Amino acid sequence: MKKINVLGLITFFVLVLVNLPFLVIIPSSFTAAGYLAFPPEGFSWQWYEMILDRPEFIDSLWFSLKLATVTAILATFLGTLAAFALSKYKFRGSGIINALMLSPLTVPSLIIGISALLFFTRIGIAGTFTGLLLAHMLISIPYVVRLVLTGLSTFDYTLEKAGYMLGAHPFRVFWDITLPLLRPAIVSGMIFSFLTSFDNVTVSLFLVAPDTTTLPLAIFTYMQETLDPLVASISSVVILLSLVFIVLLEKVYGLERLFGLNSQSH
Amino acid sequence: MSKRLSVTLLTAPAMILLLGVFILPMLMMLLLSFQDENQAFSLHNYSLFIQDPYYLEILWRTIRVSLWTVLVSLLLGFPVAMYMAQATGKMRGIVTMLILAPHLISVVIRNFGWVVVLGEKGWINETLISLGLIDQPLRLLYNELGIVIGLTDSFIAYMVLAIATSLYAIDPSLNKAASILGASRVRTFFSVTLPLCLPGIIAGTTLVFSLSMSAFVTPALMGGTSVKVLPVIAYEQIMATLNWPFGAALAFLLLGSTILLVTLYTKLIETKRYKEVFAS
């Protein structure tokens, strides 16, 4: 029994450590003081009201939400199509295509960011929404492909066949049989793409324009100059938003299964 | 529709994106890294790096903090994985959730939390001073210690999950067999559990090492301006100095050294394992 207790103790310690950032940020955001302190002094909403006076944060929040939503939809669409081809058909080069689809995961984000900047500057879309969108789709697609492939690996194709035999149109079969069965994998691909895009810093860093920036980058830039409770209140908003999607992801798919797929986040 | 047409139509959109936004730009970047001031092909950028002790020190620092991160994540992560392997359904689920969920929230925000905890007027320093244990605040941030703390927090989940997965796969009857044969718990751990979860340890350590080597945000926020690592220097060359060829070369040097070290490490471990197998 003693051994288990020691392990439990260390586990508890580690769990506190990895969650400590949130345990201090949220209380700090309600401080009544004019400076960053933990434990916070007094209670007030002033730092949340202060966000409203900072258009750069409001604008970047909307920008991030828009970017993450469009990324999630497009990446899921492209990734799902590709996963279908890879799973349904045996064809020459499928191994290479599969490896290529997953390859953005194995290269550091820093390199993806720099190379995208070089290329986008040449074709004139550096600093645009399109450029950021393409890069975010690139880093989201591997997750979608793997999630949908996993979903398809246990997919029973006889159900599709039954649909055809009963005279259904291919689109009807897809819409009424295939899609509903794969919904958990596709939906979690979409949620995961959203989070990947919404939280990304390293790739975005190279691709944003000064007037259109994402929220994590706005916080990053602000943090390098000033550290005040304003960062805490904005961070709390992001934590809350992310939490909604994480709980959703856990409900739809299960975090542990998901993390087996996730090998890089920076 | 023919099979070939279907495959092409289904994979084309993602493949075009991949080739256009990833493969082609990477090749362009590689070519650029071999360009000198006159846009002629040369090894100038790479030799500049190798000949300058300043850059070599930065490379060594990047490797050093990554190794520390691996060590700390292994020491803290292994017991957690062991605990998860021994825990029952519900408890295992809770631990998994609590260790994984934070990693889906932006690294900038996690780092900010650590600044609140570790700063000169942070929680730890204020507590220690009010307890009378120290009179001067400890320097826990804006140095290599700060980077290691931030990176460990960022990547420990990968270590835990890699080891836990390999522990889940161990047949519990093996432990029973060992104890029936009279092995102590410690002996069972070293002769049964540890060798069997070695693949998980190798996976976890290489993953955490590679991620630490290329991490940019945490060293930038928790390392400060004087303690720089290779990704931060590469970023500065691109965005501040605008020396793109050199920045590109730095990025590839980073990637190359990471791959080299990881390959050496896995080779070393595997050779050792083979020796052990053949010796016994």
Side-chain angles (χ1 to χ4, degrees):
Chain A
M1 276 324 278
K2 196 161 167 266
K3 201 173 104 192
I4 294 174
N5 286 338
V6 172
L7 289 180
L9 220 63
I10 300 175
T11 304
F12 180 74
F13 174 69
V14 172
L15 290 182
V16 170
L17 278 187
V18 296
N19 288 284
L20 193 62
F22 316 113
L23 298 176
V24 297
I25 288 173
I26 295 172
S28 311
S29 68
F30 291 107
T31 187
Y35 50 87
L36 196 61
F38 189 88
E41 294 161 25
F43 178 90
S44 96
W45 289 96
Q46 58 169 334
W47 294 104
Y48 285 88
E49 287 161 18
M50 213 77 95
I51 301 176
L52 302 175
D53 299 332
R54 306 293 299 219
E56 80 258 39
F57 290 121
I58 309 278
D59 293 347
S60 61
L61 172 65
W62 289 124
F63 186 77
S64 278
L65 287 174
K66 195 170 80 177
L67 179 65
T69 309
V70 183
T71 300
I73 293 169
L74 291 178
T76 308
F77 185 63
L78 264 59
T80 305
L81 291 186
F84 264 109
L86 286 169
S87 160
K88 194 164 183 174
Y89 304 103
K90 291 282 151 276
F91 56 96
R92 220 152 46 114
S94 65
I96 297 169
I97 290 190
N98 190 19
L100 267 176
M101 290 281 171
L102 304 179
S103 59
L105 284 185
T106 54
V107 173
S109 306
L110 185 84
I111 292 186
I112 295 181
I114 296 175
S115 60
L117 173 69
L118 296 179
F119 184 57
F120 290 172
T121 308
R122 189 158 300 182
I123 60 170
I125 57 166
T128 66
F129 183 82
T130 316
L132 260 178
L133 175 66
L134 290 174
H136 279 210
M137 280 167 68
L138 178 80
I139 53 172
S140 306
I141 281 181
Y143 298 114
V144 178
V145 172
R146 285 183 73 168
L147 278 163
V148 179
L149 270 179
T150 319
L152 280 165
S153 66
T154 53
F155 185 77
D156 187 357
Y157 284 102
T158 52
L159 293 170
E160 278 190 346
K161 254 187 211 137
Y164 289 125
M165 281 163 77
L166 292 169
H169 188 266
F171 286 108
R172 179 86 197 267
V173 171
F174 180 77
W175 195 256
D176 282 343
I177 298 172
T178 320
L179 210 53
L181 286 169
L182 284 174
R183 195 176 290 141
I186 296 175
V187 170
S188 33
M190 202 179 277
I191 301 170
F192 200 81
S193 302
F194 184 92
L195 273 178
T196 304
S197 166
F198 188 70
D199 283 343
N200 180 277
V201 180
T202 313
V203 173
S204 315
L205 192 69
F206 294 94
L207 301 174
V208 294
D211 52 330
T212 49
T213 187
T214 64
L215 187 56
L217 259 178
I219 301 173
F220 179 81
T221 316
Y222 188 83
M223 249 186 91
Q224 286 189 312
E225 287 152 17
T226 332
L227 283 168
D228 61 19
L230 184 63
V231 190
S233 60
I234 297 158
S235 298
S236 303
V237 174
V238 180
I239 294 170
L240 208 70
L241 248 165
S242 300
L243 221 53
V244 172
F245 286 93
I246 291 168
V247 171
L248 224 70
L249 210 51
E250 166 69 14
K251 285 253 184 296
V252 177
Y253 202 74
L255 283 188
E256 190 178 358
R257 262 174 84 199
L258 186 87
F259 242 74
L261 310 171
N262 173 1
S263 62
Q264 193 189 355
S265 64
H266 297 264
Chain B
M1 235 189 300
S2 79
K3 183 178 116 182
R4 186 181 214 150
L5 186 64
S6 307
V7 168
T8 314
L9 283 178
L10 289 172
T11 52
M15 283 305 283
I16 291 170
L17 182 83
L18 215 72
L19 294 173
V21 185
F22 181 59
I23 306 292
L24 179 67
M26 285 265 286
L27 291 174
M28 277 176 61
M29 186 177 158
L30 189 62
L31 280 179
L32 187 76
S33 75
F34 288 106
Q35 238 175 48
D36 64 8
E37 297 94 340
N38 311 315
Q39 305 210 334
F41 179 87
S42 88
L43 291 169
H44 174 76
N45 296 310
Y46 292 92
S47 65
L48 196 69
F49 179 90
I50 292 162
Q51 283 163 8
D52 194 335
Y54 170 75
Y55 291 117
L56 289 179
E57 164 59 23
I58 286 170
L59 173 64
W60 170 230
R61 176 185 297 137
T62 314
I63 296 171
R64 193 167 55 218
V65 295
S66 304
L67 288 175
W68 274 111
T69 306
V70 169
L71 186 70
V72 179
S73 330
L74 183 63
L75 289 178
L76 289 177
F78 196 90
V80 178
M82 286 279 281
Y83 181 80
M84 281 164 71
Q86 289 172 7
T88 46
K90 191 151 196 171
M91 197 60 197
R92 186 190 278 185
I94 294 170
V95 174
T96 310
M97 180 82 188
L98 280 175
I99 203 142
L100 297 188
H103 297 264
L104 292 169
I105 295 177
S106 183
V107 64
V108 173
I109 287 163
R110 290 207 308 272
N111 288 339
F112 170 65
W114 280 108
V115 172
V116 179
V117 175
L118 302 172
E120 254 178 47
K121 293 208 183 306
W123 186 29
I124 292 182
N125 273 320
E126 292 283 305
T127 311
L128 290 177
I129 288 173
S130 68
L131 289 173
L133 289 171
I134 51 168
D135 350 291
Q136 289 288 318
L138 300 172
R139 203 166 168 75
L140 305 167
L141 261 187
Y142 309 124
N143 52 20
E144 289 181 22
L145 176 67
I147 303 180
V148 172
I149 294 175
L151 290 179
T152 305
D153 172 52
S154 293
F155 303 134
I156 194 170
Y158 299 99
M159 183 72 85
V160 171
L161 215 75
I163 298 173
T165 312
S166 68
L167 285 174
Y168 293 161
I170 298 178
D171 187 347
S173 58
L174 288 174
N175 287 325
K176 217 176 250 170
S179 82
I180 290 169
L181 290 170
S184 68
R185 270 202 164 138
V186 178
R187 181 79 200 273
T188 310
F189 176 79
F190 282 105
S191 326
V192 179
T193 314
L194 199 60
L196 285 175
C197 73
L198 206 58
I201 296 176
I202 297 172
T205 44
T206 48
L207 195 55
V208 172
F209 180 76
S210 321
L211 290 170
S212 302
M213 285 290 284
S214 58
F216 165 79
V217 177
T218 302
L221 288 176
M222 296 181 73
T225 44
S226 54
V227 193
K228 286 172 180 163
V229 293
L230 209 43
V232 174
I233 301 284
Y235 169 78
E236 286 177 356
Q237 286 297 322
I238 301 274
M239 300 303 272
T241 318
L242 298 179
N243 188 348
W244 288 15
F246 189 54
L250 288 179
F252 279 113
L253 280 161
L254 177 74
L255 185 63
S257 46
T258 309
I259 293 172
L260 184 75
L261 288 168
V262 167
T263 316
L264 280 175
Y265 165 75
T266 36
K267 275 268 180 322
L268 208 75
I269 294 257
E270 268 167 15
T271 336
K272 203 168 160 285
R273 268 178 86 197
Y274 287 132
K275 269 189 194 144
E276 275 168 7
V277 171
F278 285 115
S280 57

